[in-house]
Amino acid sequence: MGQSLVKNYIHIVFSTKEREPFILESIEVELHVYLGGVCKKLGCQPVKIGGFNDHVHVLCLLSKNVTLVKLVEELKSHSSKWIKTKGA
């Protein structure tokens, strides 16, 4: 049997605590770039990252070397720590 190839595109949506509008326009683009960096660090190629002032969308290609749980855990923990450094 030949080789099997799989590409898993993952669309993750997560919101701020109690849907509070913590993501200010002044840091929105920087946050999206930061989240893309977290994805790349884990080997998950980001396709599109966006959102609004109370939630974030991440579309990426899931690496074969990382679990979905690990990806979401890393994205949420790093973005939470990062946004706190911005005074939000």
Side-chain angles (χ1 to χ4, degrees), residues 5-85:
L5 300 174
V6 176
K7 287 188 177 185
N8 288 313
Y9 287 91
I10 305 298
H11 180 205
I12 302 166
V13 181
F14 57 96
S15 68
T16 60
K17 187 174 183 177
E18 298 181 14
R19 301 284 296 207
E20 290 291 327
F22 291 132
I23 305 170
L24 306 175
E25 282 187 46
S26 59
I27 63 169
E28 186 176 26
V29 172
E30 192 178 355
L31 172 63
H32 298 163
V33 170
Y34 181 79
L35 289 170
V38 172
C39 288
K40 286 179 186 175
K41 182 180 170 196
L42 293 170
C44 299
Q45 186 61 39
V47 176
K48 183 75 174 173
I49 300 175
F52 197 58
N53 62 0
D54 65 351
H55 69 279
V56 174
H57 292 263
V58 177
L59 177 64
C60 66
L61 183 59
L62 185 64
S63 168
K64 65 180 181 178
N65 300 318
V66 69
T67 64
L68 177 57
V69 171
K70 182 67 173 173
L71 174 61
V72 172
E73 179 183 283
E74 292 291 315
L75 285 171
K76 289 184 75 175
S77 68
H78 284 286
S79 63
S80 178
K81 290 175 188 173
W82 181 86
I83 208 159
K84 287 177 184 172
T85 67

